[in-house]
Amino acid sequence: MEHVPPPAEELTLLDRELVRLDARRAQLLTRRAWLLTVLQPPGTPGTPHPGPYAAPAAGPGWGAAPGWGATAPGWGAPARTAPKGALSPRGAQHVLLVLGGLLLTIAAIAFTVVSWGRMGIGGRAVVLGALTVAALAAPVPLLRRKLPSTAEALAALALVLTALDAYAWYRVAAPGTGGLGFAAGASAVLAVLWAGYGLLLPALRVPLPAAVVGAQFPFLFWAAATDASALGIGWALVLTATLDGVIAIRCGRPAMRATAVTVGCVTGFVGLLTGLAASLTAQSAAAAVSPGVLLLVAAGGLLLVACRAPREFGTAGGAAAGLAVVAAVGGVVRPEVPAGWWVAVYLLCGAAVAAAARGPLPRPVRRGARASVAAVAAGAALWAAPAAGVVLLGPLSRVGDAWAGAPSGAREALGTTLLWPHWIAVPVVLAVLSGLCAAAHRWSLRPDGTDAPEAVAPGTAGPSVSVPGRVTARRTAGVCVVVSGWGALLTLPAALDVPYPVAWAAQTLWVGALLAVGVRGCRGRVANPAVTVTALVCAGVGAVSAGALSLASEPATYAVFGALAALAVTGAVRAPGGAVRAVIGCAAVMCSIVVARAAGESLGLAGHRAAPIVLIVPALTVLLGARLRRDPVAAPVEAAGALGALVALGTAVTDASALSLVLGLCGVLAAGTAVRPERRAVAGWPAVALLAIAVWVRLAASGVSAPEAYTLPLTLPALAAGALLRRRDRGASSWKAYGGGLAVTLVPSLGAVWADPHWTRPLLLGAAALVITLAGARFRLQALLVLGGAALALDGLHELAPYVVQVAGVLPRWVPPALAGVLLLAVGATYEHRLRDARRLRDAVVRMR
């Protein structure tokens, strides 16, 4: 395509036009600035408003100022802004009008209440009537003169004066009548008058919202005047809220609609609470009928308003209506059912509401109704939660009395004094709750939660349903199905008080079922991943509870933990995910450790003698790790086996001989693990440390006073082997070559030095440590330098300790704090220099082999 004119020529034309426009714009801005200076009175503070033709602020880009080419409103009459921090003229006007209206209102009230008795009837009528008429008529000419703020202020004053007129009329014409009855009639008349006044002068914004507020009191005052009961007060509030809803629907004025919605929500909420309280405290079905009718009428009014309200209010109205229906119907049935079963009654009412919500209602209303059912379900779950908590946590209280004797029944096995009064109702409520959640999960599979997807016209967008919202609802419902169903099965043995063997067998069975669901979910056979995670978590919690429950009896302990270990092994084999397999495999190892520890108790062995039996499980995990090699499950399983080794060490710590044996066995297991290349870096050092500590503990248990006689024969061959290793591999670490051999002798010798009162051993150890330190510094061997330096420092500290103690006892008490302060000051003054020295020393040590 050819350009006409050519691009170079067109670019030149554009540049010339832009230059001409910039010149013309600068000329106009100069002229405008001069005009603003001429029009602004001398001495006026502030800066003239720049207007839409001011020069643009510095920034990226270029071009004409906003509004270029249009005629500015008020050209030639520039607007002015108030100085920073000063009040604008409009704001000052509003402040003055509000203050003036308040002062006039206070004066009118003071005149009516205080000075009323000083005037005759004629004077009173003339004064208040003249003031009211003048205030009501004044806004008309003010609106014609374009003074709306002043008109609003006087209209508000006129409304207050009409209320004072009503009070004055009561004091003069009807002093003997009931005050509440007169207030009911007066508030109704005033609401009508204010509404008419607002319709006659539609430019005023105060009268119509004031009429809505005034309409809140006639029914309430009338009910109070007739000495109505609390239920009668509730009827008055509900009728008033219904009237507010009609106003909010039919009225097109935003201020009036907002006022009606606000006061209607407050009034309706109080009315619903009144009906709900009456329904919950009714002692018979007949007594609950009247509150139920009130709640149903309120629900009907809420639905009427919610079906025509915006989406947010429609959802809230649907939720409130659903709760009202559940409370109304359930409240009538509640007094006629046994204690504890009323929760199931309310749940069934919620199920009916959920089914009705699938009817021809607006989507926000249906959504609100389902939210009300969810609230009822949450309340039922909270009611049943303490019983489920007793079943889960109760067996933990019997852990300290393991194998004390099998209880007679499931409730006695809980080991708690808490008596739940409604045991039999708990599993039923949880089962009903699980059914409701299952139905909600099925409904959430539809595009909008209804029976069938809505028809969508071709070429238009689909239903306005949030896909993430549907997914979240479906996952939540699935989680609730699993948790509530498991809770029903969990509490069933305690509710029926079955024998103890049936109780622990049932809990173990539920754990197996949950584990199967979790494993199926991991294999992709369960569409909801939240259900999979929930099932696995519940299986873990249930396994802990079942294990604690089984500790009351020896056969039950073997049966439950053996079954749990078998289930865990099966799950670990069948689960595809690495993380899930690792967790289940670790659980299998934990159960096996409990079985091994129980075997020692069954054999009648003391704790330290049963420790080697516990080491069977870590030995099996070492063999299993060698079989699995680099499988992701191998490392967690071996770590769980290491935890079993810690358990064995904890049981053997009371006996030095048994402890040395267990330490040696643990060192052998660690050495067997370190044979594998992928575990050498992790298990090598623990193997050396465990074997060395085993030797030291054995020497201490045997009462050896000269450990060097036993350690030097080990140290010398170890150092020779290290030297050969360094000769073959110059990159081998000094810790790997010499660390273990040196530590075998240095550590026991240090222990013997601190218990030796003579000078020979400290001298020999100090000399040997000095030689090792110098050799490490000479040949740049980190292990020799660190171990030798540490031994030399500790040996020197042992030699200086008596003198330090003696000097400290002679010095005054203020000297040590003073010396510490001087030391801190010196360190602080040379902190940066010392820090650099420390870093250089650290780098030098790190660079050593």
Side-chain angles (χ1 to χ4, degrees):
M1 183 180 67
E2 296 182 358
H3 290 274
V4 180
E9 184 178 352
E10 184 181 358
L11 180 60
T12 304
L13 292 175
L14 288 177
D15 288 339
R16 290 176 182 175
E17 185 65 18
L18 288 174
V19 171
R20 188 184 64 81
L21 289 176
D22 288 340
R24 179 58 178 165
R25 185 168 182 268
Q27 181 183 1
L28 293 176
L29 287 175
T30 304
R31 180 64 178 175
R32 184 176 182 275
W34 180 81
L35 290 174
L36 291 176
T37 307
V38 172
L39 291 175
Q40 184 177 4
T44 302
T47 304
H49 192 278
Y53 298 98
W62 54 271
W68 182 258
T71 302
W75 178 268
R80 297 181 177 88
T81 57
K84 184 176 180 181
L87 188 64
S88 66
R90 190 74 172 177
Q93 179 188 16
H94 286 307
V95 171
L96 294 176
L97 289 175
V98 170
L99 290 177
L102 287 176
L103 290 175
L104 288 175
T105 303
I106 294 171
I109 294 174
F111 168 74
T112 305
V113 176
V114 178
S115 303
W116 185 254
R118 302 178 184 176
M119 299 179 64
I121 296 177
R124 302 167 189 172
V126 170
V127 172
L128 274 181
L131 287 175
T132 303
V133 171
L136 289 173
V140 178
L142 291 174
L143 290 174
R144 290 176 183 173
R145 293 179 177 273
K146 304 286 182 70
L147 297 173
S149 299
T150 308
E152 293 284 357
L154 289 179
L157 176 62
L159 300 183
V160 175
L161 288 175
T162 55
L164 295 176
D165 285 336
Y167 171 72
W169 181 261
Y170 169 72
R171 291 290 302 271
V172 172
T177 60
L180 290 176
F182 184 86
S187 59
V189 172
L190 288 175
V192 173
L193 289 177
W194 293 348
Y197 184 65
L199 293 175
L200 288 175
L201 297 175
L204 296 176
R205 294 175 295 178
V206 175
L208 289 178
V212 175
V213 175
Q216 306 304 304
F217 302 103
F219 290 118
L220 184 61
F221 285 159
W222 174 78
T226 57
D227 295 331
S229 61
L231 193 60
I233 300 293
W235 274 106
L237 294 171
V238 169
L239 291 176
T240 304
T242 305
L243 177 62
D244 295 330
V246 174
I247 294 173
I249 293 174
R250 306 293 298 179
C251 181
R253 296 172 178 261
M256 192 174 182
R257 184 187 297 118
T259 305
V261 169
T262 302
V263 297
C265 289
V266 176
T267 306
F269 180 72
V270 178
L272 285 175
L273 285 183
T274 304
L276 179 62
S279 177
L280 292 176
T281 55
Q283 300 299 321
S284 63
V289 170
S290 296
V293 173
L294 171 62
L295 292 172
L296 289 177
V297 170
L302 284 168
L303 284 178
L304 179 65
V305 176
C307 290
R308 293 169 175 80
R311 182 174 57 184
E312 294 79 7
F313 292 103
T315 303
L323 290 174
V325 171
V326 171
V329 180
V332 175
V333 183
R334 180 191 57 81
E336 305 301 327
V337 297
W341 291 94
W342 56 270
V343 181
V345 170
Y346 283 111
L347 267 180
L348 293 176
C349 294
V353 170
R358 303 175 68 194
L361 293 172
R363 184 179 295 117
V365 178
R366 294 200 306 266
R367 198 171 299 159
R370 292 178 190 134
S372 68
V373 178
V376 174
L382 290 176
W383 177 83
V390 169
V391 175
L392 280 175
L393 303 178
L396 297 178
S397 62
R398 301 177 63 93
V399 173
D401 299 329
W403 296 2
S408 60
R411 297 185 188 176
E412 183 183 350
L414 299 180
T416 178
T417 59
L418 177 62
L419 300 178
W420 193 251
H422 314 300
W423 271 115
I424 195 61
V426 173
V428 176
V429 169
L430 290 175
V432 174
L433 181 59
S434 180
L436 282 177
C437 295
H441 184 271
R442 178 178 175 274
W443 292 340
S444 64
L445 296 176
R446 299 290 187 180
D448 60 348
T450 59
D451 281 339
E454 292 185 0
V456 182
T460 61
S464 59
V465 180
S466 172
V467 174
R470 290 202 310 271
V471 172
T472 301
R474 183 166 63 252
R475 290 182 177 180
T476 304
V479 168
C480 293
V481 169
V482 175
V483 174
S484 55
W486 174 54
L489 296 175
L490 185 69
T491 55
L492 185 60
L496 301 176
D497 199 14
V498 299
Y500 173 67
V502 178
W504 58 257
Q507 284 213 31
T508 308
L509 181 62
W510 312 148
V511 172
L514 289 169
L515 185 60
V517 173
V519 171
R520 285 175 61 86
C522 293
R523 298 177 66 88
R525 298 182 182 179
V526 177
N528 194 338
V531 171
T532 301
V533 176
T534 305
L536 292 175
V537 172
C538 291
V541 176
V544 174
S545 178
L549 183 66
S550 69
L551 292 178
S553 170
E554 183 177 358
T557 301
Y558 285 109
V560 171
F561 280 98
L564 292 177
L567 289 172
V569 170
T570 305
V573 171
R574 295 181 59 84
V580 176
R581 290 178 61 204
V583 173
I584 299 177
C586 292
V589 174
M590 298 299 178
C591 294
S592 303
I593 291 172
V594 175
V595 173
R597 184 68 181 86
E601 293 291 334
S602 298
L603 294 175
L605 301 176
H608 61 277
R609 294 186 179 274
I613 298 178
V614 179
L615 287 178
I616 296 175
V617 178
L620 293 176
T621 60
V622 170
L623 296 177
L624 182 61
R627 175 70 177 81
L628 296 175
R629 305 295 292 179
R630 297 184 182 277
D631 192 285
V633 182
V637 169
E638 291 179 84
L643 181 61
L646 291 178
V647 173
L649 290 173
T651 57
V653 75
T654 57
D655 186 84
S657 300
L659 180 60
S660 65
L661 174 62
V662 173
L663 285 169
L665 294 176
C666 291
V668 171
L669 292 177
T673 304
V675 171
R676 295 155 49 194
E678 69 273 10
R679 295 285 185 265
R680 187 166 300 159
V682 178
W685 283 112
V688 175
L690 288 170
L691 292 174
I693 296 174
V695 172
W696 302 337
V697 173
R698 180 71 259 179
L699 293 176
S702 301
V704 175
S705 59
E708 293 84 1
Y710 300 90
T711 58
L712 281 176
L714 297 176
T715 296
L716 295 177
L719 294 178
L724 292 177
L725 175 64
R726 290 273 297 175
R727 178 173 296 179
R728 287 202 210 100
D729 183 9
R730 300 300 299 176
S733 171
S734 61
W735 289 99
K736 183 178 180 181
Y738 307 116
L742 291 176
V744 166
T745 297
L746 288 179
V747 174
S749 297
L750 281 173
V753 160
W754 281 85
D756 191 350
H758 304 289
W759 60 272
T760 307
R761 187 190 302 274
L763 179 61
L764 295 176
L765 178 61
L770 178 60
V771 171
I772 294 171
T773 304
L774 294 176
R778 170 65 180 82
F779 298 105
R780 302 180 60 80
L781 298 176
Q782 189 181 94
L784 274 66
L785 181 63
V786 173
L787 292 177
L792 184 61
L794 291 175
D795 185 68
L797 180 62
H798 169 265
E799 293 302 306
L800 292 177
Y803 304 102
V804 172
V805 172
Q806 184 178 1
V807 171
V810 175
L811 292 176
R813 295 185 177 180
W814 59 268
V815 174
L819 294 176
V822 172
L823 177 62
L824 291 177
L825 288 176
V827 172
T830 60
Y831 176 75
E832 294 294 336
H833 181 68
R834 301 306 175 195
L835 189 60
R836 287 193 297 269
D837 292 343
R839 287 172 179 169
R840 283 196 293 269
L841 178 61
R842 180 200 62 188
D843 296 339
V845 173
V846 168
R847 284 194 298 268
M848 295 182 178
R849 295 297 299 171

